[in-house]
Amino acid sequence: MIHRLRTTRLDAALAVAFLVVGLTQVEVFPIAGAGRGELFVAMSTLPLAWRRTFPIQSSLVASVSWLIPLDGFPVLGLVVVIVQFLALGTHGRPLRAVVAVTAWASALSVVGTLLGPEAPVAAIGGVLAVVAPVLAGLAVRHERRQKQALAALADQLRAERARAEQDAVDLERSRIAQELHDVVGHDVTLIAIQAEAAAAALRVSAPQATTSVEAIRATAHHTMTQIRAVLDVLAPCAGQGHPGPESPSELADRARAAGIDNTLTVTGTPPADQEAITLAVNRILRECLTNAGKHAPGRPVALAVDWSPSTVELRSTNPTDALAITPAPGRGLAGIRHRAELLGGTLTTTLADGHFDVQVKIPARPTPPASGPTHQGRT
């Protein structure tokens, strides 16, 4: 509304300026008698005040003035026509109305030329004086629409880029959360098991709690080392390294020392050039041990890793509490599924006959995942 008011004021000022110049010419060098010159100037210049707000109507009024016969030539006559009909092409709506008014004005221009002092051939120039500004205005309108479309597209692209950046941030946060869960969750479970053992031993004999307390201390130090390793990956510092992943046997031994009874069978040899698969297997083994220690404390868990030239198969089986409530989804199995999918593998979990079974198959050479995994069970 403010922009439209400002536009109207500017157009009104331009119309008044043209009116003053035209009336001055009529007084000094008359172009028609009996007030016809003043009427022509007023009818041709005053519509300029509404040339952008009401381009159709103002062009119709301005073109009617050309029917007034003149004896001379208005000094700003051609300029007024160009300004008026340039606005018609730029701001006129709809297009068929612009075409109709242009045809009407062209016809009146021919008639006005024939009624005036100019030669009949000048009618061609009169038509061009109408049509050319309208065409130029239409070209300006088209260019403006293109600029507006490009601006809208640029805004849309900026919004899409912002959404993509936010999605990337969310994905990275999820990855960091999963890494910390895999690293810390296992060791915290071991600490909790040893803390319970230490509390029970303290009630009987303080010296018997020494082993459990020592295990808690060692596990806590190991957890801090693993956390620092994750932080080094996220924000590496020059000159600082981080330890390599534990082997499956080391994971099983440490879990066994912490109170998670387990057996581990490893067949075959992992490929030396597939560290991502080796790390994924270690993380999955760690999560299986954590899962068993959390949901089936004191129950043995059987682990098996079978390396073959084409695939690696990992299986974890442990008895479950018959009174256990049907579990809800969490990060544990979701993390296993995610790691398997990233390497083109699958996850299958079953809960039947009092046993919880986790089976993961991963190609020895990573491939894009072919289909979504099936799973049921707890975290």
Side-chain angles (χ1 to χ4, degrees):
M1 183 64 183
I2 295 177
H3 174 73
R4 185 171 182 176
L5 181 60
R6 186 179 303 169
T7 299
T8 303
R9 288 178 177 176
L10 290 175
D11 290 346
L14 179 66
V16 170
F18 275 92
L19 176 64
V20 170
V21 173
L23 292 177
T24 301
Q25 178 193 1
V26 169
E27 293 298 326
V28 177
F29 303 102
I31 58 175
R36 286 185 287 115
E38 289 80 356
L39 179 61
F40 174 84
V41 170
M43 289 185 63
S44 61
T45 58
L46 288 180
L48 292 176
W50 299 277
R51 65 189 180 94
R52 286 187 285 184
T53 52
F54 299 100
I56 300 295
Q57 296 86 336
S58 61
S59 297
L60 287 173
V61 173
S63 61
V64 170
S65 66
W66 303 340
L67 296 177
I68 299 175
L70 301 177
D71 300 327
F73 303 98
V75 65
L76 295 180
L78 181 60
V79 177
V80 171
V81 173
I82 292 175
V83 172
Q84 178 66 60
F85 285 89
L86 180 64
L88 174 65
T90 305
H91 303 283
R93 302 289 189 280
L95 180 60
R96 59 177 177 270
V98 174
V99 173
V101 172
T102 302
W104 164 264
S106 298
L108 293 184
S109 178
V110 172
V111 174
T113 301
L114 297 177
L115 293 177
E118 298 177 279
V121 70
I124 299 176
V127 173
L128 291 178
V130 173
V131 175
V134 172
L135 294 178
L138 291 175
V140 171
R141 180 197 302 189
H142 178 69
E143 183 180 359
R144 286 180 179 176
R145 286 181 176 177
Q146 285 189 322
K147 288 182 178 179
Q148 292 173 353
L150 290 175
L153 180 60
D155 292 339
Q156 183 179 357
L157 291 176
R158 279 193 292 269
E160 290 292 340
R161 183 174 62 184
R163 281 193 291 269
E165 291 175 351
Q166 185 59 47
D167 290 342
V169 170
D170 293 340
L171 181 62
E172 187 63 15
R173 285 175 177 171
S174 177
R175 188 182 72 86
I176 294 171
Q178 187 63 57
E179 287 293 331
L180 290 176
H181 173 271
D182 291 347
V183 169
V184 178
H186 176 72
D187 289 344
V188 169
T189 299
L190 299 184
I191 291 174
I193 293 173
Q194 288 297 327
E196 292 175 359
L202 284 173
R203 288 192 290 269
V204 178
S205 173
Q208 295 181 11
T210 303
T211 302
S212 297
V213 173
E214 178 60 25
I216 292 174
R217 184 194 66 80
T219 304
H221 282 290
H222 182 270
T223 303
M224 292 302 300
T225 301
Q226 293 295 320
I227 291 176
R228 279 193 288 268
V230 173
L231 294 178
D232 286 344
V233 172
L234 297 176
C237 299
Q240 292 188 4
H242 51 82
E246 295 176 289
S247 66
S249 59
E250 290 173 335
L251 284 171
D253 290 342
R254 198 159 62 84
R256 196 178 300 114
I260 299 179
D261 187 15
N262 69 85
T263 58
L264 173 65
T265 302
V266 180
T267 57
T269 303
D273 59 343
Q274 296 296 330
E275 296 181 0
I277 296 180
T278 303
L279 178 60
V281 169
N282 288 354
R283 289 285 197 246
I284 293 171
L285 278 175
R286 184 195 295 265
E287 184 55 43
C288 289
L289 288 167
T290 302
N291 210 34
K294 183 189 303 181
H295 296 284
R299 314 297 291 274
V301 54
L303 302 169
V305 180
D306 180 20
W307 294 94
S308 69
S310 59
T311 60
V312 55
E313 296 188 20
L314 186 149
R315 188 164 187 170
S316 171
T317 305
N318 62 274
T320 59
D321 187 352
L323 300 178
I325 301 175
T326 302
R331 289 189 180 276
L333 291 179
I336 294 177
R337 182 181 68 249
H338 181 64
R339 290 186 184 280
E341 286 179 343
L342 286 178
L343 298 174
T346 60
L347 163 68
T348 303
T349 63
T350 56
L351 180 60
D353 299 329
H355 287 78
F356 182 67
D357 185 83
V358 176
Q359 187 173 5
V360 178
K361 292 183 179 181
I362 300 175
R365 302 290 173 179
T367 58
S371 60
T374 59
H375 65 89
Q376 62 181 11
R378 65 174 186 281
T379 58

